[in-house]
């Protein structure tokens, strides 16, 4: 059976592991300007926070979520795990304004790098997770016809070893950037999520054949020339629909779950009927698939890609406004009905979160996070290979 009238609609969310909820709120809400759209707990581990950051209403494809596991070991990128996720901006000028703003806030920023199909810079969150900011254009189809995907070798001047790193590092916005303007807003959603595989052909069998996603680009890793980097998404290859994989030798290190690492990524499906069609198809292909799980804001099934990375298929609805209005969403602890009877006990295990705007947020880029007592981000100083 093949879902004919419905398909994977794009990215739904990415979920990562954080060591400290307050630092995570500081970075994603106050520094990057995402909205804390839901404060709840991990339904499978109610003693820990599950924080959702997104646009105003929590639209699918804009959602970045975190489990707070303070005692978890530090995670490690590798085969079977998420490498990074990318948020979107409108254009290169907006990207350069982000570079200036983040650098002025005391963060190490790498780029901008010309990736042929978009331009990117990279920063790490407080736990070391790589966060990419990427432009929408010129897009994945500029060098080939829609639906005709061929292998591409990147230009030598854009890959590691051939590009002018010193010149790239010197590029920034000339003036301090004290506010996040409309073009910079990261609430436009994710551009892509990148994971790692030991066999990209096998990954294509999973994403392209079993899940029916379009393979929209076959290129090389610009930071590891000669190794394959493929993209899947909707047929129009639009930002927000893209999942990409870097291929590494099977002997390379495997991912370790922990802080600063992805837990899973989720793809969006229209509704529960479509979800059940995909569940049946995954089972027919020999994959283990969870029962349908009620996440209150969406329904989910879970499987794993061939390298063992957890992949979720989540419905578009009912959405994050199902249990609180848009004006207050995220401001108080929300629990699913089956946990409400344990609210007092659950809340006692959670630390309070300060959501009040910093007095200088958006008005004092000269001081930024460096001047906020007790809130230093302790960013990992070395940003490893990105794309």
């Amino acid at each position: 059976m093949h879902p004919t009238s419905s398909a994977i609609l794009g990215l739904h969310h990415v979920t990562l592991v954080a060591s400290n909820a307050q630092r995570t709120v500081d970075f994603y809400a106050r520094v990057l300007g995402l909205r804390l759209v839901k404060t709840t707990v991990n339904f499978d581990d109610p003693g820990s926070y599950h924080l959702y950051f997104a646009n105003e209403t929590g639209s699918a494809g804009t959602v970045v979520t975190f489990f707070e596991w303070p005692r978890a070991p530090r995670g490690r990128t590798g085969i079977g795990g998420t490498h990074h996720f990318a948020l979107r901006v409108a254009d290169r000028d907006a990207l350069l304004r982000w570079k200036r703003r983040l650098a002025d806030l005391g963060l190490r920023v790498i780029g901008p790098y010309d990736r042929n199909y978009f331009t990117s810079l990279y920063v790490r969150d407080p736990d070391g997770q790589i966060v990419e900011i990427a432009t929408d254009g010129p897009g994945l189809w500029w060098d080939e016809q829609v639906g005709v995907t061929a292998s591409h070798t990147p230009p030598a001047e854009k890959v590691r070893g051939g590009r002018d790193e010193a010149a790239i590092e010197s590029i920034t916005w000339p003036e301090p950037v004290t506010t996040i303007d409309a073009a910079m807003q990261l609430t436009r959603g994710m551009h892509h999520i990148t994971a790692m595989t030991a066999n990209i052909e096998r990954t294509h069998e999973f994403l392209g054949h079993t899940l029916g996603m379009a393979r929209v680009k076959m290129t090389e890793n610009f930071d590891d020339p000669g190794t394959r980097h493929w993209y899947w998404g909707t047929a129009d290859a639009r930002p927000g629909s893209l999942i990409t994989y870097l291929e590494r030798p099977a002997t390379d290190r495997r991912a370790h779950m922990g802080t600063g690492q992805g837990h899973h990524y989720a793809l969006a499906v229209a509704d529960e009927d479509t979800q059940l069609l995909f569940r049946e198809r995954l089972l027919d292909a020999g994959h283990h698939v969870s029962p349908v799980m009620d996440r209150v804001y969406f329904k989910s099934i879970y499987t794993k890609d061939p390298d063992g990375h957890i992949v979720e298929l989540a419905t578009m609805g009912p959405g994050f406004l199902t249990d609180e209005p848009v004006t207050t969403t995220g401001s108080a602890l929300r629990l699913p009905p089956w946990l409400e009877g344990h609210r007092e006990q659950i809340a006692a295990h959670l630390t309070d979160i300060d959501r009040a705007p910093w007095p200088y947020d958006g008005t004092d880029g000269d001081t930024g996070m460096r001047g906020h007592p007790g809130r230093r981000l302790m960013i990992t100083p070395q940003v490893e290979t990105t794309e």
Side-chain angles (χ1 to χ4, degrees):
M1 179 191 49
H2 190 288
T4 53
S5 59
S6 302
I8 300 296
L9 302 178
L11 304 178
H12 190 285
H13 66 267
V14 63
T15 292
L16 307 113
V17 179
S19 61
N20 184 292
Q22 185 65 67
R23 288 194 315 170
T24 302
V25 170
D26 289 346
F27 182 76
Y28 285 93
R30 288 165 163 146
V31 173
L32 296 188
L34 301 182
R35 183 174 183 186
L36 178 59
V37 75
K38 191 66 62 182
T39 303
T40 185
V41 294
N42 182 336
F43 292 180
D44 302 323
D45 176 19
S48 61
Y49 271 122
H50 192 181
L51 305 175
Y52 291 74
F53 300 87
N55 67 359
E56 186 76 3
T57 59
S59 303
T62 72
V63 185
V64 181
T65 96
F66 291 87
F67 299 141
E68 187 203 31
W69 291 345
R71 290 174 292 279
R74 183 175 175 80
R76 188 180 76 179
T77 58
I79 293 168
T82 301
H83 187 269
H84 68 271
F85 68 96
L87 299 167
R88 297 168 55 194
V89 291
D91 54 37
R92 192 171 184 274
D93 281 354
L95 196 73
L96 297 186
R97 291 199 289 279
W98 268 114
K99 182 175 181 179
R100 179 61 189 264
R101 176 177 171 82
L102 293 171
D104 286 349
L105 288 169
L107 306 178
R108 185 173 184 229
V109 187
I110 306 299
Y113 290 129
D114 183 347
R115 303 305 195 182
N116 248 5
Y117 314 105
F118 45 87
T119 303
S120 297
L121 58 78
Y122 302 84
V123 65
R124 283 186 183 266
D125 81 359
D127 285 298
Q129 172 65 50
I130 299 171
V131 180
E132 176 180 351
I133 303 176
T135 61
D136 280 351
L140 268 64
W141 290 131
W142 76 267
D143 60 352
E144 58 191 344
Q145 295 180 343
V146 175
V148 179
T149 306
S151 295
H152 291 266
T153 300
E157 68 274 15
K158 296 182 181 179
V159 304
R160 173 170 289 177
R163 63 195 178 213
D164 188 339
E165 300 286 359
I168 291 170
E169 185 177 355
S170 70
I171 300 171
T172 191
W173 195 254
E175 305 293 336
V177 179
T178 57
T179 59
I180 301 172
D181 63 35
M184 294 173 65
Q185 287 180 357
L186 300 176
T187 51
R188 295 161 57 85
M190 285 183 284
H191 187 284
H192 63 267
I193 298 170
T194 292
M196 297 177 70
T197 177
N199 186 329
I200 209 161
E201 300 281 0
R202 189 178 59 186
T203 301
H204 179 58
E205 181 67 26
F206 174 71
L207 293 175
H209 295 163
T210 304
L211 295 184
M213 300 183 73
R215 184 172 56 187
V216 293
K217 186 62 63 181
M218 296 188 294
T219 184
E220 295 181 6
N221 185 337
F222 283 46
D223 297 323
D224 187 12
T227 64
R228 294 190 287 185
H229 186 187
W230 289 6
Y231 295 62
W232 295 262
T234 51
D236 58 0
R238 63 175 170 79
S241 76
L242 304 172
I243 183 78
T244 94
Y245 274 74
L246 306 172
E247 186 180 50
R248 297 290 172 85
T251 53
D252 231 13
R253 69 184 191 186
R254 291 194 57 82
H256 282 180
M257 186 75 74
T259 58
Q261 248 295 291
H263 185 274
H264 65 269
Y265 67 79
L267 303 171
V269 296
D271 50 37
E272 294 174 51
D273 289 341
T274 308
Q275 186 177 62
L276 291 175
L277 289 172
F278 274 108
R279 186 174 189 276
E280 187 175 342
R281 191 170 192 208
L282 284 161
L283 289 170
D284 288 346
H287 294 276
H288 175 77
V289 191
S290 76
V292 175
M293 312 288 281
D294 183 359
R295 300 313 190 188
V296 175
Y297 313 109
F298 43 85
K299 297 287 181 62
S300 297
I301 60 173
Y302 299 87
T303 187
K304 290 183 177 179
D305 75 7
D307 291 287
H309 196 356
I310 300 172
V311 179
E312 176 181 352
L313 270 61
T315 60
M316 296 292 285
F320 291 93
L321 305 184
T322 191
D323 61 352
E324 55 186 336
V326 68
T327 52
T328 61
T329 186
S331 62
L333 178 65
R334 308 300 301 189
L335 296 175
W338 59 89
L339 291 178
E340 276 294 349
H342 304 282
R343 173 174 284 273
E344 185 175 347
Q345 180 185 4
I346 290 171
H349 286 278
L350 303 173
T351 56
D352 291 336
I353 297 175
D354 177 10
R355 300 173 177 81
W358 290 347
Y360 44 74
D361 188 29
T363 60
D364 189 357
D366 293 335
T367 304
M369 301 193 70
R370 289 172 296 184
H372 197 90
R375 296 286 182 80
R376 293 180 66 82
L377 285 176
M378 296 185 291
I379 299 292
T380 302
Q382 182 178 2
V383 175
E384 64 185 61
T385 299
T386 48
E387 281 286 345

